[in-house]
PDB file of all heavy atoms in Angstrom:
ATOM      1  N   PHE A  24     208.759   7.776 -15.402  1.00 96.00           N
ATOM      2  CA  PHE A  24     208.761   8.676 -14.243  1.00 96.00           C
ATOM      3  C   PHE A  24     207.676   9.740 -14.381  1.00 96.00           C
ATOM      4  O   PHE A  24     206.924  10.012 -13.435  1.00 96.00           O
ATOM      5  CB  PHE A  24     210.136   9.336 -14.105  1.00 96.00           C
ATOM      6  CG  PHE A  24     210.196  10.460 -13.114  1.00 96.00           C
ATOM      7  CD1 PHE A  24     210.374  10.204 -11.762  1.00 96.00           C
ATOM      8  CD2 PHE A  24     210.076  11.780 -13.547  1.00 96.00           C
ATOM      9  CE1 PHE A  24     210.417  11.258 -10.843  1.00 96.00           C
ATOM     10  CE2 PHE A  24     210.116  12.829 -12.630  1.00 96.00           C
ATOM     11  CZ  PHE A  24     210.287  12.569 -11.280  1.00 96.00           C
ATOM     12  N   LEU A  25     207.597  10.343 -15.560  1.00 96.00           N
ATOM     13  CA  LEU A  25     206.599  11.393 -15.780  1.00 96.00           C
ATOM     14  C   LEU A  25     205.181  10.855 -15.643  1.00 96.00           C
ATOM     15  O   LEU A  25     204.302  11.512 -15.076  1.00 96.00           O
ATOM     16  CB  LEU A  25     206.793  12.009 -17.166  1.00 96.00           C
ATOM     17  CG  LEU A  25     208.067  12.831 -17.379  1.00 96.00           C
ATOM     18  CD1 LEU A  25     208.195  13.243 -18.844  1.00 96.00           C
ATOM     19  CD2 LEU A  25     208.089  14.065 -16.472  1.00 96.00           C
ATOM     20  N   ILE A  26     204.967   9.647 -16.150  1.00 93.00           N
ATOM     21  CA  ILE A  26     203.624   9.058 -16.121  1.00 93.00           C
ATOM     22  C   ILE A  26     203.265   8.579 -14.726  1.00 93.00           C
ATOM     23  O   ILE A  26     202.179   8.853 -14.213  1.00 93.00           O
ATOM     24  CB  ILE A  26     203.548   7.901 -17.132  1.00 93.00           C
ATOM     25  CG1 ILE A  26     203.557   8.465 -18.544  1.00 93.00           C
ATOM     26  CG2 ILE A  26     202.310   7.029 -16.914  1.00 93.00           C
ATOM     27  CD1 ILE A  26     203.927   7.481 -19.600  1.00 93.00           C
ATOM     28  N   ASN A  27     204.198   7.898 -14.082  1.00 90.00           N
ATOM     29  CA  ASN A  27     203.916   7.318 -12.772  1.00 90.00           C
ATOM     30  C   ASN A  27     203.653   8.386 -11.715  1.00 90.00           C
ATOM     31  O   ASN A  27     202.942   8.147 -10.735  1.00 90.00           O
ATOM     32  CB  ASN A  27     205.079   6.429 -12.331  1.00 90.00           C
ATOM     33  CG  ASN A  27     204.615   5.202 -11.579  1.00 90.00           C
ATOM     34  OD1 ASN A  27     203.557   4.635 -11.879  1.00 90.00           O
ATOM     35  ND2 ASN A  27     205.391   4.783 -10.606  1.00 90.00           N
ATOM     36  N   ASN A  28     204.232   9.575 -11.938  1.00 93.00           N
ATOM     37  CA  ASN A  28     204.030  10.671 -11.000  1.00 93.00           C
ATOM     38  C   ASN A  28     202.994  11.690 -11.488  1.00 93.00           C
ATOM     39  O   ASN A  28     202.857  12.771 -10.897  1.00 93.00           O
ATOM     40  CB  ASN A  28     205.371  11.372 -10.723  1.00 93.00           C
ATOM     41  CG  ASN A  28     206.321  10.523  -9.908  1.00 93.00           C
ATOM     42  OD1 ASN A  28     206.158  10.359  -8.706  1.00 93.00           O
ATOM     43  ND2 ASN A  28     207.321   9.952 -10.579  1.00 93.00           N
ATOM     44  N   ASN A  29     202.286  11.303 -12.576  1.00 92.00           N
ATOM     45  CA  ASN A  29     201.212  12.155 -13.122  1.00 92.00           C
ATOM     46  C   ASN A  29     201.700  13.578 -13.419  1.00 92.00           C
ATOM     47  O   ASN A  29     201.001  14.566 -13.153  1.00 92.00           O
ATOM     48  CB  ASN A  29     200.018  12.201 -12.158  1.00 92.00           C
ATOM     49  CG  ASN A  29     199.393  10.840 -11.966  1.00 92.00           C
ATOM     50  OD1 ASN A  29     199.089  10.141 -12.938  1.00 92.00           O
ATOM     51  ND2 ASN A  29     199.205  10.440 -10.711  1.00 92.00           N
ATOM     52  N   LEU A  30     202.909  13.661 -13.993  1.00 95.00           N
ATOM     53  CA  LEU A  30     203.497  14.970 -14.271  1.00 95.00           C
ATOM     54  C   LEU A  30     203.218  15.449 -15.694  1.00 95.00           C
ATOM     55  O   LEU A  30     202.915  16.618 -15.902  1.00 95.00           O
ATOM     56  CB  LEU A  30     205.013  14.923 -14.026  1.00 95.00           C
ATOM     57  CG  LEU A  30     205.442  14.670 -12.577  1.00 95.00           C
ATOM     58  CD1 LEU A  30     206.948  14.469 -12.494  1.00 95.00           C
ATOM     59  CD2 LEU A  30     205.017  15.827 -11.695  1.00 95.00           C
ATOM     60  N   ASP A  31     203.371  14.542 -16.666  1.00 94.00           N
ATOM     61  CA  ASP A  31     203.147  14.926 -18.068  1.00 94.00           C
ATOM     62  C   ASP A  31     202.909  13.646 -18.870  1.00 94.00           C
ATOM     63  O   ASP A  31     203.853  13.041 -19.384  1.00 94.00           O
ATOM     64  CB  ASP A  31     204.357  15.692 -18.606  1.00 94.00           C
ATOM     65  CG  ASP A  31     204.084  16.355 -19.949  1.00 94.00           C
ATOM     66  OD1 ASP A  31     203.214  15.844 -20.695  1.00 94.00           O
ATOM     67  OD2 ASP A  31     204.749  17.369 -20.251  1.00 94.00           O
ATOM     68  N   LEU A  32     201.644  13.241 -18.962  1.00 93.00           N
ATOM     69  CA  LEU A  32     201.318  11.966 -19.615  1.00 93.00           C
ATOM     70  C   LEU A  32     201.697  11.972 -21.085  1.00 93.00           C
ATOM     71  O   LEU A  32     202.205  10.984 -21.612  1.00 93.00           O
ATOM     72  CB  LEU A  32     199.829  11.662 -19.451  1.00 93.00           C
ATOM     73  CG  LEU A  32     199.331  11.416 -18.017  1.00 93.00           C
ATOM     74  CD1 LEU A  32     197.844  11.080 -18.028  1.00 93.00           C
ATOM     75  CD2 LEU A  32     200.120  10.303 -17.354  1.00 93.00           C
ATOM     76  N   ASP A  33     201.448  13.072 -21.765  1.00 94.00           N
ATOM     77  CA  ASP A  33     201.717  13.135 -23.207  1.00 94.00           C
ATOM     78  C   ASP A  33     203.216  13.041 -23.502  1.00 94.00           C
ATOM     79  O   ASP A  33     203.643  12.290 -24.380  1.00 94.00           O
ATOM     80  CB  ASP A  33     201.155  14.428 -23.800  1.00 94.00           C
ATOM     81  CG  ASP A  33     199.624  14.425 -23.826  1.00 94.00           C
ATOM     82  OD1 ASP A  33     199.040  13.328 -23.926  1.00 94.00           O
ATOM     83  OD2 ASP A  33     199.033  15.508 -23.733  1.00 94.00           O
ATOM     84  N   LYS A  34     204.017  13.810 -22.757  1.00 95.00           N
ATOM     85  CA  LYS A  34     205.474  13.753 -22.958  1.00 95.00           C
ATOM     86  C   LYS A  34     206.013  12.378 -22.576  1.00 95.00           C
ATOM     87  O   LYS A  34     206.856  11.801 -23.281  1.00 95.00           O
ATOM     88  CB  LYS A  34     206.169  14.831 -22.137  1.00 95.00           C
ATOM     89  CG  LYS A  34     207.683  14.858 -22.338  1.00 95.00           C
ATOM     90  CD  LYS A  34     208.333  15.999 -21.570  1.00 95.00           C
ATOM     91  CE  LYS A  34     209.843  16.013 -21.786  1.00 95.00           C
ATOM     92  NZ  LYS A  34     210.493  17.139 -21.049  1.00 95.00           N
ATOM     93  N   GLY A  35     205.498  11.833 -21.471  1.00 95.00           N
ATOM     94  CA  GLY A  35     205.932  10.512 -21.046  1.00 95.00           C
ATOM     95  C   GLY A  35     205.633   9.456 -22.080  1.00 95.00           C
ATOM     96  O   GLY A  35     206.472   8.599 -22.382  1.00 95.00           O
ATOM     97  N   LEU A  36     204.445   9.509 -22.653  1.00 95.00           N
ATOM     98  CA  LEU A  36     204.053   8.541 -23.680  1.00 95.00           C
ATOM     99  C   LEU A  36     204.942   8.665 -24.913  1.00 95.00           C
ATOM    100  O   LEU A  36     205.359   7.665 -25.506  1.00 95.00           O
ATOM    101  CB  LEU A  36     202.586   8.758 -24.061  1.00 95.00           C
ATOM    102  CG  LEU A  36     201.950   7.731 -24.995  1.00 95.00           C
ATOM    103  CD1 LEU A  36     201.963   6.344 -24.364  1.00 95.00           C
ATOM    104  CD2 LEU A  36     200.517   8.150 -25.326  1.00 95.00           C
ATOM    105  N   ASP A  37     205.267   9.899 -25.279  1.00 95.00           N
ATOM    106  CA  ASP A  37     206.139  10.125 -26.439  1.00 95.00           C
ATOM    107  C   ASP A  37     207.530   9.550 -26.202  1.00 95.00           C
ATOM    108  O   ASP A  37     208.101   8.883 -27.080  1.00 95.00           O
ATOM    109  CB  ASP A  37     206.240  11.622 -26.726  1.00 95.00           C
ATOM    110  CG  ASP A  37     207.219  11.934 -27.847  1.00 95.00           C
ATOM    111  OD1 ASP A  37     206.961  11.493 -28.989  1.00 95.00           O
ATOM    112  OD2 ASP A  37     208.247  12.594 -27.584  1.00 95.00           O
ATOM    113  N   LEU A  38     208.098   9.790 -25.014  1.00 96.00           N
ATOM    114  CA  LEU A  38     209.441   9.287 -24.706  1.00 96.00           C
ATOM    115  C   LEU A  38     209.477   7.760 -24.727  1.00 96.00           C
ATOM    116  O   LEU A  38     210.396   7.149 -25.289  1.00 96.00           O
ATOM    117  CB  LEU A  38     209.887   9.793 -23.334  1.00 96.00           C
ATOM    118  CG  LEU A  38     210.111  11.302 -23.199  1.00 96.00           C
ATOM    119  CD1 LEU A  38     210.345  11.676 -21.741  1.00 96.00           C
ATOM    120  CD2 LEU A  38     211.295  11.744 -24.046  1.00 96.00           C
ATOM    121  N   ILE A  39     208.457   7.149 -24.126  1.00 96.00           N
ATOM    122  CA  ILE A  39     208.430   5.681 -24.065  1.00 96.00           C
ATOM    123  C   ILE A  39     208.214   5.085 -25.453  1.00 96.00           C
ATOM    124  O   ILE A  39     208.822   4.064 -25.800  1.00 96.00           O
ATOM    125  CB  ILE A  39     207.327   5.205 -23.099  1.00 96.00           C
ATOM    126  CG1 ILE A  39     207.684   5.624 -21.668  1.00 96.00           C
ATOM    127  CG2 ILE A  39     207.171   3.690 -23.157  1.00 96.00           C
ATOM    128  CD1 ILE A  39     206.551   5.459 -20.683  1.00 96.00           C
ATOM    129  N   SER A  40     207.390   5.725 -26.260  1.00 95.00           N
ATOM    130  CA  SER A  40     207.162   5.208 -27.618  1.00 95.00           C
ATOM    131  C   SER A  40     208.451   5.229 -28.429  1.00 95.00           C
ATOM    132  O   SER A  40     208.698   4.346 -29.253  1.00 95.00           O
ATOM    133  CB  SER A  40     206.072   6.015 -28.328  1.00 95.00           C
ATOM    134  OG  SER A  40     206.490   7.346 -28.561  1.00 95.00           O
ATOM    135  N   ARG A  41     209.315   6.220 -28.167  1.00 95.00           N
ATOM    136  CA  ARG A  41     210.618   6.278 -28.848  1.00 95.00           C
ATOM    137  C   ARG A  41     211.523   5.142 -28.380  1.00 95.00           C
ATOM    138  O   ARG A  41     212.288   4.573 -29.168  1.00 95.00           O
ATOM    139  CB  ARG A  41     211.272   7.634 -28.599  1.00 95.00           C
ATOM    140  CG  ARG A  41     210.603   8.778 -29.353  1.00 95.00           C
ATOM    141  CD  ARG A  41     210.972  10.143 -28.802  1.00 95.00           C
ATOM    142  NE  ARG A  41     212.409  10.403 -28.870  1.00 95.00           N
ATOM    143  CZ  ARG A  41     212.976  11.512 -28.382  1.00 95.00           C
ATOM    144  NH1 ARG A  41     212.220  12.426 -27.795  1.00 95.00           N
ATOM    145  NH2 ARG A  41     214.274  11.687 -28.481  1.00 95.00           N
ATOM    146  N   ALA A  42     211.436   4.815 -27.100  1.00 96.00           N
ATOM    147  CA  ALA A  42     212.226   3.691 -26.576  1.00 96.00           C
ATOM    148  C   ALA A  42     211.760   2.381 -27.203  1.00 96.00           C
ATOM    149  O   ALA A  42     212.573   1.548 -27.627  1.00 96.00           O
ATOM    150  CB  ALA A  42     212.098   3.622 -25.050  1.00 96.00           C
ATOM    151  N   VAL A  43     210.439   2.196 -27.287  1.00 96.00           N
ATOM    152  CA  VAL A  43     209.883   0.964 -27.868  1.00 96.00           C
ATOM    153  C   VAL A  43     210.234   0.858 -29.346  1.00 96.00           C
ATOM    154  O   VAL A  43     210.514  -0.241 -29.853  1.00 96.00           O
ATOM    155  CB  VAL A  43     208.350   0.920 -27.665  1.00 96.00           C
ATOM    156  CG1 VAL A  43     207.743  -0.262 -28.425  1.00 96.00           C
ATOM    157  CG2 VAL A  43     208.018   0.810 -26.184  1.00 96.00           C
ATOM    158  N   ALA A  44     210.261   1.990 -30.046  1.00 95.00           N
ATOM    159  CA  ALA A  44     210.622   1.973 -31.470  1.00 95.00           C
ATOM    160  C   ALA A  44     212.042   1.451 -31.660  1.00 95.00           C
ATOM    161  O   ALA A  44     212.345   0.797 -32.669  1.00 95.00           O
ATOM    162  CB  ALA A  44     210.489   3.377 -32.060  1.00 95.00           C
ATOM    163  N   ASN A  45     212.912   1.721 -30.682  1.00 94.00           N
ATOM    164  CA  ASN A  45     214.296   1.241 -30.753  1.00 94.00           C
ATOM    165  C   ASN A  45     214.417  -0.224 -30.384  1.00 94.00           C
ATOM    166  O   ASN A  45     215.230  -0.955 -30.961  1.00 94.00           O
ATOM    167  CB  ASN A  45     215.192   2.066 -29.820  1.00 94.00           C
ATOM    168  CG  ASN A  45     215.675   3.348 -30.438  1.00 94.00           C
ATOM    169  OD1 ASN A  45     216.654   3.353 -31.172  1.00 94.00           O
ATOM    170  ND2 ASN A  45     214.981   4.446 -30.165  1.00 94.00           N
ATOM    171  N   GLU A  46     213.614  -0.667 -29.400  1.00 95.00           N
ATOM    172  CA  GLU A  46     213.678  -2.058 -28.933  1.00 95.00           C
ATOM    173  C   GLU A  46     212.255  -2.579 -28.745  1.00 95.00           C
ATOM    174  O   GLU A  46     211.743  -2.630 -27.621  1.00 95.00           O
ATOM    175  CB  GLU A  46     214.469  -2.145 -27.623  1.00 95.00           C
ATOM    176  CG  GLU A  46     215.927  -1.738 -27.751  1.00 95.00           C
ATOM    177  CD  GLU A  46     216.695  -1.890 -26.450  1.00 95.00           C
ATOM    178  OE1 GLU A  46     216.317  -2.742 -25.621  1.00 95.00           O
ATOM    179  OE2 GLU A  46     217.666  -1.132 -26.254  1.00 95.00           O
ATOM    180  N   PRO A  47     211.624  -2.985 -29.835  1.00 95.00           N
ATOM    181  CA  PRO A  47     210.190  -3.335 -29.784  1.00 95.00           C
ATOM    182  C   PRO A  47     209.852  -4.590 -28.992  1.00 95.00           C
ATOM    183  O   PRO A  47     208.679  -4.831 -28.717  1.00 95.00           O
ATOM    184  CB  PRO A  47     209.822  -3.500 -31.260  1.00 95.00           C
ATOM    185  CG  PRO A  47     211.115  -3.739 -31.968  1.00 95.00           C
ATOM    186  CD  PRO A  47     212.150  -2.984 -31.210  1.00 95.00           C
ATOM    187  N   THR A  48     210.839  -5.391 -28.622  1.00 95.00           N
ATOM    188  CA  THR A  48     210.551  -6.606 -27.839  1.00 95.00           C
ATOM    189  C   THR A  48     211.079  -6.506 -26.413  1.00 95.00           C
ATOM    190  O   THR A  48     211.105  -7.502 -25.690  1.00 95.00           O
ATOM    191  CB  THR A  48     211.135  -7.853 -28.516  1.00 95.00           C
ATOM    192  OG1 THR A  48     212.553  -7.706 -28.631  1.00 95.00           O
ATOM    193  CG2 THR A  48     210.520  -8.072 -29.896  1.00 95.00           C
ATOM    194  N   ASN A  49     211.514  -5.334 -26.010  1.00 96.00           N
ATOM    195  CA  ASN A  49     211.994  -5.162 -24.638  1.00 96.00           C
ATOM    196  C   ASN A  49     210.793  -5.159 -23.692  1.00 96.00           C
ATOM    197  O   ASN A  49     209.944  -4.264 -23.760  1.00 96.00           O
ATOM    198  CB  ASN A  49     212.760  -3.845 -24.516  1.00 96.00           C
ATOM    199  CG  ASN A  49     213.406  -3.663 -23.149  1.00 96.00           C
ATOM    200  OD1 ASN A  49     212.756  -3.803 -22.118  1.00 96.00           O
ATOM    201  ND2 ASN A  49     214.687  -3.345 -23.143  1.00 96.00           N
ATOM    202  N   PRO A  50     210.679  -6.142 -22.787  1.00 95.00           N
ATOM    203  CA  PRO A  50     209.472  -6.262 -21.960  1.00 95.00           C
ATOM    204  C   PRO A  50     209.261  -5.084 -21.015  1.00 95.00           C
ATOM    205  O   PRO A  50     208.127  -4.727 -20.696  1.00 95.00           O
ATOM    206  CB  PRO A  50     209.702  -7.559 -21.181  1.00 95.00           C
ATOM    207  CG  PRO A  50     211.187  -7.739 -21.162  1.00 95.00           C
ATOM    208  CD  PRO A  50     211.671  -7.185 -22.472  1.00 95.00           C
ATOM    209  N   PHE A  51     210.354  -4.457 -20.581  1.00 94.00           N
ATOM    210  CA  PHE A  51     210.233  -3.337 -19.647  1.00 94.00           C
ATOM    211  C   PHE A  51     209.748  -2.081 -20.363  1.00 94.00           C
ATOM    212  O   PHE A  51     208.986  -1.290 -19.806  1.00 94.00           O
ATOM    213  CB  PHE A  51     211.569  -3.112 -18.941  1.00 94.00           C
ATOM    214  CG  PHE A  51     212.093  -4.375 -18.312  1.00 94.00           C
ATOM    215  CD1 PHE A  51     213.162  -5.066 -18.875  1.00 94.00           C
ATOM    216  CD2 PHE A  51     211.485  -4.899 -17.181  1.00 94.00           C
ATOM    217  CE1 PHE A  51     213.624  -6.243 -18.314  1.00 94.00           C
ATOM    218  CE2 PHE A  51     211.938  -6.081 -16.602  1.00 94.00           C
ATOM    219  CZ  PHE A  51     213.011  -6.757 -17.175  1.00 94.00           C
ATOM    220  N   PHE A  52     210.185  -1.917 -21.606  1.00 96.00           N
ATOM    221  CA  PHE A  52     209.676  -0.795 -22.393  1.00 96.00           C
ATOM    222  C   PHE A  52     208.203  -1.013 -22.738  1.00 96.00           C
ATOM    223  O   PHE A  52     207.398  -0.086 -22.688  1.00 96.00           O
ATOM    224  CB  PHE A  52     210.479  -0.633 -23.678  1.00 96.00           C
ATOM    225  CG  PHE A  52     211.946  -0.319 -23.482  1.00 96.00           C
ATOM    226  CD1 PHE A  52     212.807  -0.262 -24.572  1.00 96.00           C
ATOM    227  CD2 PHE A  52     212.481  -0.079 -22.225  1.00 96.00           C
ATOM    228  CE1 PHE A  52     214.140   0.033 -24.410  1.00 96.00           C
ATOM    229  CE2 PHE A  52     213.820   0.210 -22.041  1.00 96.00           C
ATOM    230  CZ  PHE A  52     214.650   0.261 -23.149  1.00 96.00           C
ATOM    231  N   LEU A  53     207.856  -2.260 -23.072  1.00 96.00           N
ATOM    232  CA  LEU A  53     206.453  -2.576 -23.380  1.00 96.00           C
ATOM    233  C   LEU A  53     205.572  -2.352 -22.149  1.00 96.00           C
ATOM    234  O   LEU A  53     204.442  -1.861 -22.263  1.00 96.00           O
ATOM    235  CB  LEU A  53     206.344  -4.025 -23.859  1.00 96.00           C
ATOM    236  CG  LEU A  53     206.966  -4.341 -25.225  1.00 96.00           C
ATOM    237  CD1 LEU A  53     207.015  -5.847 -25.445  1.00 96.00           C
ATOM    238  CD2 LEU A  53     206.179  -3.671 -26.342  1.00 96.00           C
ATOM    239  N   ASP A  54     206.097  -2.728 -20.985  1.00 96.00           N
ATOM    240  CA  ASP A  54     205.357  -2.507 -19.745  1.00 96.00           C
ATOM    241  C   ASP A  54     205.105  -1.014 -19.528  1.00 96.00           C
ATOM    242  O   ASP A  54     203.986  -0.593 -19.202  1.00 96.00           O
ATOM    243  CB  ASP A  54     206.141  -3.086 -18.574  1.00 96.00           C
ATOM    244  CG  ASP A  54     205.549  -2.702 -17.228  1.00 96.00           C
ATOM    245  OD1 ASP A  54     204.379  -3.044 -16.977  1.00 96.00           O
ATOM    246  OD2 ASP A  54     206.255  -2.046 -16.440  1.00 96.00           O
ATOM    247  N   SER A  55     206.141  -0.212 -19.721  1.00 95.00           N
ATOM    248  CA  SER A  55     205.989   1.234 -19.541  1.00 95.00           C
ATOM    249  C   SER A  55     204.969   1.804 -20.527  1.00 95.00           C
ATOM    250  O   SER A  55     204.145   2.655 -20.165  1.00 95.00           O
ATOM    251  CB  SER A  55     207.338   1.931 -19.747  1.00 95.00           C
ATOM    252  OG  SER A  55     208.281   1.515 -18.792  1.00 95.00           O
ATOM    253  N   PHE A  56     205.047   1.338 -21.775  1.00 96.00           N
ATOM    254  CA  PHE A  56     204.129   1.821 -22.810  1.00 96.00           C
ATOM    255  C   PHE A  56     202.686   1.431 -22.455  1.00 96.00           C
ATOM    256  O   PHE A  56     201.754   2.235 -22.553  1.00 96.00           O
ATOM    257  CB  PHE A  56     204.537   1.236 -24.167  1.00 96.00           C
ATOM    258  CG  PHE A  56     204.044   2.027 -25.350  1.00 96.00           C
ATOM    259  CD1 PHE A  56     203.456   3.272 -25.206  1.00 96.00           C
ATOM    260  CD2 PHE A  56     204.178   1.504 -26.632  1.00 96.00           C
ATOM    261  CE1 PHE A  56     203.009   3.997 -26.306  1.00 96.00           C
ATOM    262  CE2 PHE A  56     203.740   2.210 -27.729  1.00 96.00           C
ATOM    263  CZ  PHE A  56     203.154   3.464 -27.576  1.00 96.00           C
TER     264      PHE A  56
END
């Protein structure tokens, strides 16, 4: 949400990277990352 709306790219990237760390093969998390 933060990235798609150009609100806070750095925070958005950090949040998504934490999601990917939990589920590294989740295609939707990989897409967001």
